[in-house]
Amino acid sequence: MKRSRPTPHPQRVALHNEIHARPPEAMSAPLAISHMVMVGDAQEREASRAHVAALLRDHHLPQPDAQSTHIRMDLGAFRVRWELHTEFVTWSFSRPIEADGFGEREPVTALDAVPNEWLGQLPGQCLASMHLWVLPTQALGSNSLVKHVLNEETLVASTVADGHGEVYTDFAIHADGFSRMVLLAGSIAPRRLGRLVQRLLEIDTYRMAALLGLPAAREAASVLAFAERELAELAGAIRVAGRHEEPQLLDRLTKLAGQVESQYAGTHSRFSASSAYFELVDRRIADIAESRLAGLQTIGEFMDRRLSPARATCEWATRRQDALSQRVSRISNLLRTRVEIEQQQSSQALLAAMNTRQGLQLKLQATVEGLSVAAITYYTVGLVSYLAKGAQGLGWPWSAESTAAVAIPVVAFAVWWSLRRLHSKVFND
């Protein structure tokens, strides 16, 4: 009976296979490898997929999957390995060579077997390129290696793979635009040799990718220096500014904050990527398990000494941006608080003045109400007097003056009581 299974996550297979992404290949010496790192935008990186597909089509090989990020294929005269990364594309070409006579003349490379016209149309811009030769230990001596392949002045070497191999490089760009490295494989097993070669290529790849943050850090330095001077001037101006100057200072500070945040947003991803690449370089150097050869620097020592200033510059730019952003924020909050306090004080003064005016209005209103009682009483008593004169003819016993005199207090009280009731009703509602 077939057992039912729970619904799988849509990304389960992809995430599971990520652990097998870009696996190393088993290798055997002697071997020539040419490695290139091509940087480009998303369109150029995607165009590289079509470019490798064209190469496979020309050799009557199956086309790659449209979603693949890693392709390796044997084309007969050479092998090709294509990898799509977040910011760049790596191309690795390899082919067997003859170890006899290596170092006695200009060495052959893997690119000698790659179609030149197709190679010249690789999408993107070349950030790093290296020729790596994997040879048996007994293939040559260090003297011929230095004489025909590497520069003695900048030679860096070490034993790797726990002493089972030796690696030599000069970290120099030669006339063909490629750097060079020679690995004496010794008794390293094919799979371990493939992992070692991949680590050595990744050291050079991630080293150059990490250094992409250095120009951005140098460019940011001038912007940060101007922003720091502007912030210092604003801080001094805020300390002695009058109330009428604060809106202009706040406007300048807001523009400075926008400039700082814009520059931070434009470089933060670059500095974060460089930091990650520097860490990858450290890990790959640790992975090759190198130790010193007498009288020569190891790759780790060379990288630590030469990359430390660039790494420190990128980290310093990041810290400086963070510190400047925090300072701008603090001063902005301080100035806004000051403006708000002054606005509150102005509001309180305005409310006090309004209360004073309201008190005066109430007093004036009371005075007006008293005058209104007198005026209404006067006109009402006048009407009563006229009414009494007319009523005398009908037998009214009192004179008009007597009637008016008696009506005055009654009318005045009635008018006053009516106004009080109206006043009480209006204010209570």
Side-chain angles (χ1 to χ4, degrees), residues 113-419:
V114 179
N116 190 59
E117 182 178 356
W118 176 89
L119 187 64
Q121 297 176 354
L122 288 181
Q125 298 175 317
C126 184
L127 176 66
S129 55
M130 173 187 284
H131 293 310
L132 171 63
W133 293 276
V134 183
L135 305 171
T137 303
Q138 65 276 13
L140 74 165
S142 60
N143 291 333
S144 60
L145 175 67
V146 170
K147 181 177 180 182
H148 295 285
V149 182
L150 303 174
N151 295 326
E152 183 176 7
E153 294 80 5
T154 58
L155 187 64
V156 175
S158 62
T159 64
V160 292
D162 299 318
H164 291 88
E166 298 178 7
V167 62
Y168 297 84
T169 184
D170 55 9
F171 288 107
I173 298 178
H174 292 255
D176 60 354
F178 282 71
S179 59
R180 295 181 174 184
M181 182 178 289
V182 177
L183 172 62
L184 304 183
S187 59
I188 304 176
R191 288 195 173 277
R192 187 177 185 185
L193 179 59
R195 291 194 297 270
L196 177 59
V197 168
Q198 183 168 319
R199 298 295 182 267
L200 292 173
L201 295 177
E202 287 175 346
I203 287 173
D204 194 63
T205 298
Y206 294 137
R207 169 182 70 94
M208 293 299 295
L211 290 174
L212 285 174
L214 184 59
R218 289 172 175 169
E219 183 179 353
S222 59
V223 178
L224 290 171
F226 169 79
E228 287 170 344
R229 289 194 300 269
E230 178 74 5
L231 183 61
E233 293 177 2
L234 281 170
I238 290 171
R239 184 170 56 87
V240 298
R243 180 176 300 181
H244 65 284
E245 298 174 312
E246 289 174 351
Q248 292 80 4
L249 292 174
L250 186 58
D251 181 65
R252 287 177 58 188
L253 193 56
T254 302
K255 291 180 179 178
L256 179 62
Q259 180 182 3
V260 171
E261 293 303 320
S262 174
Q263 200 255 358
Y264 179 85
T267 57
H268 178 69
S269 60
R270 180 72 269 155
F271 292 153
S272 297
S274 291
S275 177
Y277 289 135
F278 278 124
E279 291 182 6
L280 287 173
V281 171
D282 294 339
R283 293 178 184 176
R284 296 301 181 263
I285 291 175
D287 289 342
I288 65 176
E290 65 174 350
S291 56
R292 181 184 298 278
L293 281 174
L296 295 173
Q297 289 187 91
T298 66
I299 293 177
E301 291 172 343
F302 180 86
M303 289 291 187
D304 183 64
R305 186 164 62 90
R306 298 300 179 91
L307 286 186
S308 291
R311 178 185 294 193
T313 300
C314 293
E315 292 175 351
W316 166 81
T318 302
R319 291 194 302 269
R320 194 174 176 186
Q321 283 181 334
D322 291 338
L324 182 59
S325 179
Q326 293 174 6
R327 288 170 56 196
V328 170
S329 178
R330 287 198 301 268
I331 294 180
S332 297
N333 291 335
L334 178 64
L335 182 57
R336 287 191 178 93
T337 301
R338 177 174 167 177
V339 171
E340 288 174 359
I341 291 175
E342 292 179 351
Q343 288 177 344
Q344 290 176 359
Q345 292 175 343
S346 299
S347 299
Q348 290 175 355
L350 180 60
L351 289 174
M354 291 175 64
N355 289 335
T356 302
R357 286 195 297 270
Q358 186 176 7
L360 292 175
Q361 288 176 352
L362 289 174
K363 292 179 180 179
L364 181 60
Q365 182 180 355
T367 303
V368 171
E369 287 179 356
L371 295 176
S372 299
V373 170
I376 294 172
T377 301
Y378 174 78
Y379 287 110
T380 303
V381 170
L383 293 175
V384 171
S385 176
Y386 285 115
L387 183 61
K389 288 181 181 180
Q392 284 180 348
L394 298 175
W396 180 256
W398 293 355
S399 65
E401 290 79 5
S402 298
T403 303
V406 173
I408 288 174
V410 177
V411 172
F413 176 78
V415 172
W416 173 83
W417 183 74
S418 298
L419 289 176

